[in-house]
Amino acid sequence: MKFDAALRVPGEIFVGADALSDAMPVIARCGRKALVVTGPHVGRSVMMQRLCELLEEARVEYVTFDGITGEPTDQMIATGVRVYRDAACDFCIGIGGGSPLDSAKAIAAMTVCEGKIADYNGRVIDCDMPAVVAIPTTAGTGSEVTKFTIVTDTRRGIKMLLKGDVLLPDVAVVDYTLGTTAPPSVTAATGLDALTHAVESLLSQRATPATDELAVSAVKRIMKYLPVAYRNGDNAEAREQLAIAAMEAGVCINNSSVTVVHGMSRPIGALFHVPHGISNAILLADCLADMEDAAGDKYTLLARAIGVPDDGFVAAVKELCRVCEVPSLQELGIDKEAFEAAIPKMSADAIASGSPANAPKPYTMADCQKLYIQLGVSSVRS
């Protein structure tokens, strides 16, 4: 199967230590009044204060919606849409981790799309939506450069993967200095999320030569610099390299998509409220080992890129997860019986997401069940 090798990226990408200031003239052209979408922590931060100062200097009006508490739900999005309309905003700015960025995209879409956001699960969003500016303060999700947004349907208990070229932000601002205050746990979760993006895009049947190059580059940066940033969050070089890697990996999944790891991690997040990067991380080594026979040459490529033996890539990923102290499901407080009872639904939801179909080998519900059981046996509390 062949796919278009053209890379789809935001209209403008600003990268560097002063990227937010550099981007402000372009942001000012996006509209008259912005809805700034964020969470309560970033909403009270120096980063937010800096954004507000720059908006005021540029004479851009704004209203803040800091109601993204955790990963976005359909209810949060509906509230954001009401705030946007009541304040007569005409574009959105997302600032924070992947959740506010995903939410800004979803809110902007639902200001013009009919119905509820759950109506668009499994459909391509294609509407003339307002401009979106994405300003990540963590290095991991890559949402600033993707045409995807993930929102939980609270009625059905599933994480919806919503997509459409119109969801690609108009402006992405990748300023690594905004992430220097992220605690080690967030640094680990987001960095491992970016690693999962890069590796899965390389393994995907939708991969292209261009995304392969970016994926290998991202993996090299993350494997080298994530342990450094985890141990010392003030290391500017590590923060910069991880921010670039997250953007590279985001471009990869925007064009090549993901595979079985993401397909299986979303149900864990939806049902047990595990942060997305962590749910990826706890599945990553087992899923990579399961795909190794089907994509061994890609693993050899990655092993050589990071300087380990040809058969050592999966082991290197396991070691990185150990260094970053990825918690087990037991340590996350997930009950063994509850996890086992959810396996049939999680497996069905994983396959229904479509992501496992991109893997280098076929996956069925039974295959997903086997991997969930394998994970549960090793790390769920009795």
Side-chain angles (χ1 to χ4, degrees):
M1 202 181 312
K2 291 186 177 180
F3 291 92
D4 185 353
L7 289 177
R8 293 174 177 83
V9 296
E12 301 268 1
I13 302 176
F14 294 84
V15 182
D18 204 26
L20 188 54
S21 294
D22 294 342
M24 196 51 60
V26 176
I27 294 172
R29 294 198 294 269
C30 288
R32 176 189 56 82
K33 188 173 186 179
L35 178 71
V36 180
V37 181
T38 191
H41 175 70
V42 173
R44 298 188 298 269
S45 70
V46 173
M47 299 173 283
M48 184 68 173
Q49 181 180 344
R50 176 63 173 155
L51 172 62
C52 293
E53 289 172 353
L54 289 170
L55 289 172
E56 289 165 7
E57 289 174 9
R59 298 186 179 180
V60 177
E61 296 181 57
Y62 63 90
V63 171
T64 300
F65 171 56
D66 64 356
I68 308 305
T69 53
E71 297 185 346
T73 68
D74 48 4
Q75 296 170 348
M76 294 179 196
I77 301 307
T79 301
V81 170
R82 287 196 294 272
V83 174
Y84 180 100
R85 288 173 173 161
D86 289 347
C89 296
D90 57 2
F91 75 107
C92 286
I93 299 174
I95 180 170
S99 294
L101 270 56
D102 277 4
S103 298
K105 291 190 260 187
I107 289 168
M110 295 313 298
T111 63
V112 291
C113 292
E114 296 182 354
K116 300 176 295 184
I117 195 164
D119 298 336
Y120 294 87
N121 188 32
R123 293 168 51 190
V124 173
I125 295 176
D126 185 13
C127 52
D128 188 14
M129 59 183 266
V132 173
V133 177
I135 308 170
T137 61
T138 60
T141 70
S143 184
E144 69 273 13
V145 290
T146 74
K147 59 182 178 182
F148 307 111
T149 181
I150 298 176
V151 177
T152 296
D153 180 336
T154 53
R155 184 180 66 83
R156 291 184 293 170
I158 62 170
K159 278 193 175 184
M160 302 180 291
L161 175 62
L162 307 168
K163 59 187 178 181
D165 287 346
V166 296
L167 293 173
L168 194 61
D170 298 86
V171 183
V173 180
V174 183
D175 183 340
Y176 73 89
T177 64
L178 300 179
T180 55
T181 60
S185 59
V186 173
T187 298
T190 54
L192 291 167
D193 189 20
L195 178 66
T196 306
H197 291 162
V199 176
E200 286 203 282
S201 72
L202 187 70
L203 300 178
S204 172
Q205 294 187 53
R206 303 177 66 90
T208 70
T211 58
D212 284 355
E213 290 289 331
L214 288 171
V216 173
S217 176
V219 170
K220 288 172 65 176
R221 295 180 200 271
I222 294 164
M223 297 297 288
K224 179 177 181 179
Y225 288 103
L226 180 54
V228 178
Y230 182 71
R231 296 186 182 107
N232 178 13
D234 293 329
N235 188 299
E237 180 183 13
R239 290 293 189 187
E240 181 178 23
Q241 292 298 317
L242 290 177
I244 293 170
M247 181 183 66
E248 290 176 324
V251 172
C252 287
I253 62 168
N254 192 52
N255 292 275
S256 298
S257 197
V258 289
T259 70
V260 70
V261 183
H262 271 75
M264 291 182 62
S265 73
R266 294 187 202 104
I268 294 176
L271 295 178
F272 297 103
H273 310 294
V274 176
H276 178 65
I278 294 300
S279 60
N280 277 337
I282 60 179
L283 285 162
L284 185 56
D286 284 346
C287 289
L288 290 183
D290 194 67
M291 290 186 281
E292 191 163 12
D293 288 345
D297 58 332
K298 296 289 183 74
Y299 287 42
T300 301
L301 174 66
L302 291 172
R304 293 176 180 176
I306 64 172
V308 300
D310 285 0
D311 62 352
F313 181 68
V314 175
V317 170
K318 287 182 179 180
E319 174 61 14
L320 179 62
C321 290
R322 186 196 68 77
V323 168
C324 290
E325 300 176 283
V326 173
S328 65
L329 293 181
Q330 179 180 10
E331 291 166 333
L332 290 166
I334 297 175
D335 179 76
K336 176 180 174 63
E337 291 184 0
F339 185 81
E340 290 178 345
I343 286 176
K345 173 176 170 53
M346 291 194 296
S347 300
D349 290 346
I351 294 298
S353 74
S355 296
N358 297 321
K361 63 180 240 183
Y363 275 90
T364 65
M365 275 187 59
D367 295 321
C368 293
Q369 287 178 326
K370 179 181 176 181
L371 285 167
Y372 279 131
I373 291 168
Q374 181 177 325
L375 175 65
V377 166
S378 63
S379 63
V380 179
R381 180 177 59 198
S382 299

